Amino acid sequence: MHITREINKDIFYVGGSERRISLFENIYPLTYGVSYNSYIILDEKTALLETVDHSISELFFENIKYVLKDRKLDYLVIHHMEPDHAASIKELLDIYKDLTLVLSAQAFNMLKNFFRDVDFSSFNVQLIKEGDKLILGKHELTFVAAPMVHWPEVMLSYDNYTKTLFSADAFGTFNALDGHLFMDEYDYEHDFLDEARRYYTNIVGKYGIQVQSVLKKASTLDIKMICPLHGPILRTSSDITYLINKYQLWSTYTPEVDGVLIVYSSIYGHSENAANVLANELSNKGFKKIKIYDTSKIDTSILLSEAFKYSKLVLISSSYNAGVFPLMEKFILDLKAHLYQNRKIAIIENGTWAPSAYNAINAVISTLKNIELYPTKITMMSSISEQNLNEFNNLIEFLK
Ligand code: FEO
């Protein structure tokens, strides 16, 4: 059964949510699913903005049919070629054979590579670049290039009539939609913020400079609504300002919270004990925001997101194979891959005969930009010693 709604003058939501998916991009765990948003504009001409993932294509085609009624589909606008949005294009072309594909030249190359058995010479194709317009009637879409937010071919579009920005992956989030389509209908901080941060940091966290460039372009537009490809639609000025401000922080690698994040890898509990002893002392000394995570229990995508949130990071790890515990290694390599920077970091290693975690962690952390690394090597031999307690006290001074 179709599930659609008019979200603005002549603009209809035709996407949907799924909760069966366990790994987004086959890597990021999802507990509460995800939405794949798609929109139709009905004007003198009709335009579909994006298709959806295969998982909800049956609903999607019912939605399109219901919204179009007896009208033909004139355009498919493709902002982004990643298959979570582009997977249903071939099926769409089988049904709506007369439509014109509107996309960038780079997106068109990707389209041909993804769908090698489609003869695109039989379709009308309109290649667009930044500043080009697609006139539908009252609604005029102006295209804005957004390379690497999230792939290089990405375009956004701005509808001059309703002042709506169709923002592709930008301002999106994990989590399915629970009936409501708009951000102001949710308790966003409670229901979405952690997942929006996890989505941003893992998907585009590496491309802060490119996100900054898009935010600069967006600041020249009078935006009344933002329609992302995942998660709720933004329609109030306070929600738009709120999320743009979050993107400003995340894309400049600026912490949201002044606090200490302790991430540990522990085999038999002694490194875990160090995390708890340190946190107890931090609390005792008046630190307000402290969070502890175990790399063996918490997915790396969450650890990365939390590292972007907090201003200080303490890494505590067992040694392993003359290096560092594998899940700690995974985490620090992820920090490096996402250009993690502008933080205070301290390292505590643990080992029973030849501790090796410090050097292995330091080899990665020392390559990060704008990191204030605690200069003293703290080594635990199997468990916390009296000397370690004194070293923790000195470390706490550094973390203030
Ligand atoms: Fe939601 Fe980059 O695709």
Side-chain angles (χ1 to χ4, degrees):
M1 170 61 83
H2 58 81
I3 308 168
T4 69
R5 195 117 49 94
E6 187 169 11
I7 56 156
N8 206 331
K9 271 185 186 316
D10 325 313
I11 305 177
F12 295 80
Y13 183 90
V14 289
S17 289
E18 70 144 324
R19 294 169 185 79
R20 281 186 291 180
I21 185 172
S22 56
L23 291 175
F24 185 79
E25 290 186 356
N26 211 16
I27 182 169
Y28 304 114
L30 294 183
T31 306
Y32 302 108
V34 67
S35 72
Y36 306 103
N37 300 343
S38 170
Y39 307 93
I40 285 186
I41 303 175
L42 298 183
D43 202 335
E44 289 165 30
K45 298 284 186 184
T46 63
L48 172 66
L49 280 58
E50 241 72 52
T51 69
V52 295
D53 189 81
H54 274 312
S55 57
I56 63 157
S57 62
E58 190 178 345
L59 169 69
F60 172 65
F61 286 109
E62 284 186 59
N63 287 349
I64 295 174
K65 205 171 154 191
Y66 181 77
V67 169
L68 284 176
K69 304 264 186 299
D70 53 0
R71 295 196 61 180
K72 75 192 242 291
L73 184 58
D74 295 303
Y75 296 105
L76 169 64
V77 178
I78 301 172
H79 293 98
H80 182 20
M81 268 306 301
E82 191 170 7
D84 55 332
H85 312 293
S88 303
I89 291 176
K90 186 180 163 192
E91 248 178 299
L92 185 86
L93 296 179
D94 284 342
I95 302 169
Y96 301 97
K97 295 181 194 303
D98 296 330
L99 62 71
T100 296
L101 290 158
V102 180
L103 72 178
S104 68
Q106 195 170 18
F108 190 42
N109 283 335
M110 291 179 178
L111 182 68
K112 288 183 282 190
N113 289 340
F114 273 114
F115 300 102
R116 292 186 189 277
D117 57 341
V118 175
D119 176 12
F120 286 102
S121 66
S122 63
F123 291 96
N124 295 316
V125 176
Q126 185 174 330
L127 296 183
I128 43 100
K129 55 186 182 329
E130 178 151 64
D132 286 354
K133 288 184 191 306
L134 179 68
I135 297 171
L136 303 172
K138 296 186 296 295
H139 297 264
E140 287 182 17
L141 297 180
T142 306
F143 292 95
V144 179
M148 300 321 296
V149 187
H150 150 224
W151 281 9
E153 86 295 3
V154 170
M155 284 279 178
L156 318 184
S157 63
Y158 176 73
D159 174 24
N160 297 327
Y161 182 56
T162 56
K163 303 193 186 315
T164 298
L165 180 69
F166 295 96
S167 64
D169 277 339
F171 307 110
T173 177
F174 297 134
N175 283 1
L177 295 171
D178 301 321
H180 299 306
L181 293 178
F182 297 99
M183 181 168 165
D184 55 277
E185 298 173 305
Y186 289 95
D187 178 349
Y188 191 86
E189 288 214 350
H190 178 269
D191 299 335
F192 282 99
L193 180 60
D194 285 345
E195 286 298 85
R197 185 189 306 103
R198 185 165 72 101
Y199 173 85
Y200 173 87
T201 51
N202 285 275
I203 307 282
V204 288
K206 181 184 177 72
Y207 301 108
I209 290 172
Q210 290 85 345
V211 174
Q212 279 286 298
S213 151
V214 169
L215 290 175
K216 212 165 164 186
K217 291 179 190 178
S219 70
T220 65
L221 301 171
D222 178 15
I223 299 173
K224 301 282 189 223
M225 177 175 278
I226 295 180
C227 292
L229 289 179
H230 303 284
I233 296 160
L234 291 67
R235 66 176 171 186
T236 69
S237 59
S238 61
D239 283 348
I240 291 169
T241 303
Y242 173 86
L243 212 48
I244 284 178
N245 286 343
K246 290 293 181 195
Y247 265 57
Q248 286 288 1
L249 292 177
W250 298 338
S251 62
T252 53
Y253 306 92
T254 305
E256 277 171 271
V257 167
D258 181 19
V260 182
L261 175 67
I262 302 173
V263 177
Y264 73 84
S265 289
S266 186
I267 303 170
Y268 290 106
H270 301 91
S271 299
E272 179 182 20
N273 181 236
N276 287 322
V277 167
L278 178 63
N280 180 56
E281 208 40 41
L282 285 167
S283 172
N284 201 27
K285 294 264 168 61
F287 283 71
K288 298 285 182 236
K289 302 277 186 187
I290 309 159
K291 190 75 193 170
I292 303 176
Y293 288 115
D294 179 350
T295 59
S296 297
K297 293 287 187 302
I298 303 299
D299 187 75
T300 306
S301 67
I302 297 173
L303 299 177
L304 180 78
S305 175
E306 291 291 276
F308 267 68
K309 179 176 169 183
Y310 286 87
S311 57
K312 294 145 195 171
L313 174 63
V314 179
L315 302 165
I316 306 176
S317 183
S318 305
S319 303
Y320 208 85
N321 285 335
V324 62
F325 192 75
L327 293 172
M328 177 60 76
E329 184 174 42
K330 183 169 181 254
F331 172 50
I332 58 176
L333 289 175
D334 222 32
L335 292 176
K336 182 179 161 83
H338 290 85
L339 303 186
Y340 184 68
Q341 53 190 279
N342 292 336
R343 300 294 194 281
K344 277 187 175 181
I345 299 183
I347 304 166
I348 300 171
E349 68 173 352
N350 194 0
T352 294
W353 62 96
S356 51
Y358 184 93
N359 286 347
I361 295 174
N362 192 34
V364 176
I365 297 300
S366 61
T367 65
L368 305 182
K369 272 173 51 183
N370 302 327
I371 294 295
E372 192 181 343
L373 180 63
Y374 185 55
T376 308
K377 179 175 181 174
I378 302 178
T379 300
M380 292 165 56
M381 294 302 294
S382 299
S383 65
I384 299 175
S385 65
E386 283 300 320
Q387 184 188 325
N388 290 147
L389 287 179
N390 291 332
E391 289 169 332
F392 285 11
N393 281 329
N394 293 334
L395 169 59
I396 287 167
E397 290 302 308
F398 166 78
L399 293 172
K400 278 181 178 167

